[in-house]
Every structure is written in structure tokens, then in C-alpha cells.
């Protein structure tokens, strides 16, 4: 069974990890925003609102923008989480060798 609420250790956030998480969140937000801009630019080109640019360029920009909005953020977040998990496992392993 789980411990009563009074006996559980209080969560104390690590300022370094909080700062890293905020930086990752900001970066992911900017990448998504730039992806939206690419999609809008691509649509303007495809709809021939920018006459000197051929429509196939617009389709490429739309594809890149969609990938930037959906694929890149997931990839970045997964890398960040893997790094945090590896860091915690290394810390636990170090604790285990120190305790002996």
C-alpha cells in the first residue's frame, strides 16, 4: 500500500532542471510557431499570391512547415526526456556504489 500523505517526502523542484524544462518548452513553442509561418507562406505561394515563385515551392514549404509543427517538437521532447532519465539512472547508480 502507499504511504499516508503526511509521511510522503515533499517535492522540491530542482532550479536547474526547471530552467532546462522552460528552455525546452520555449524552443518547442518557437519551432511550432515558425512551422505555422512556413505553412502560411507555402499556402500563399500555392494560391499564387506571390507571383514570381512557382507553386511546387509552396508545396515543399507546406510539407516542411507541417513536419516542423508535428514531428520536430515530438523528437526534441523525446530527446530531452531520454537525457533526464539517463541522468537520473546515472545518479541512482552513483548512489548505489557510494552506499557500499
Amino acid at each position: 500500500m502507499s504511504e499516508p500523505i503526511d509521511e510522503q517526502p515533499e517535492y522540491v523542484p530542482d532550479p536547474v532542471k526547471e530552467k532546462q524544462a522552460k528552455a525546452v518548452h520555449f524552443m518547442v513553442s518557437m519551432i511550432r510557431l515558425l512551422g505555422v509561418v512556413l505553412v502560411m507562406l507555402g499556402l500563399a505561394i500555392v494560391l499564387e499570391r506571390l507571383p514570381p515563385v512557382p507553386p511546387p515551392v509552396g508545396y515543399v514549404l507546406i510539407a516542411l512547415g507541417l513536419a516542423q509543427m508535428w514531428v520536430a517538437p515530438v523528437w526534441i521532447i523525446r530527446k530531452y526526456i531520454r537525457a533526464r532519465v539517463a541522468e537520473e539512472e546515472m545518479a541512482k547508480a552513483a548512489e548505489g556504489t557510494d552506499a557500499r
Side-chain angles (χ1 to χ4, degrees), residues 30-65:
M30 288 298 109
I31 287 173
R32 283 189 173 142
L33 181 63
L34 292 173
V36 169
V37 170
L38 279 178
V39 168
M40 290 172 51
L41 181 62
L43 284 173
I45 291 171
V46 168
L47 296 173
E48 298 179 357
R49 303 286 186 209
L50 300 172
V53 184
V57 173
Y59 291 116
V60 170
L61 287 177
I62 291 172
L64 287 174

Side-chain angles (χ1 to χ4, degrees), residues 1-10:
M1 289 184 35
S2 66
E3 299 176 22
I5 294 177
D6 294 340
E7 296 176 14
Q8 292 180 355
E10 184 177 335

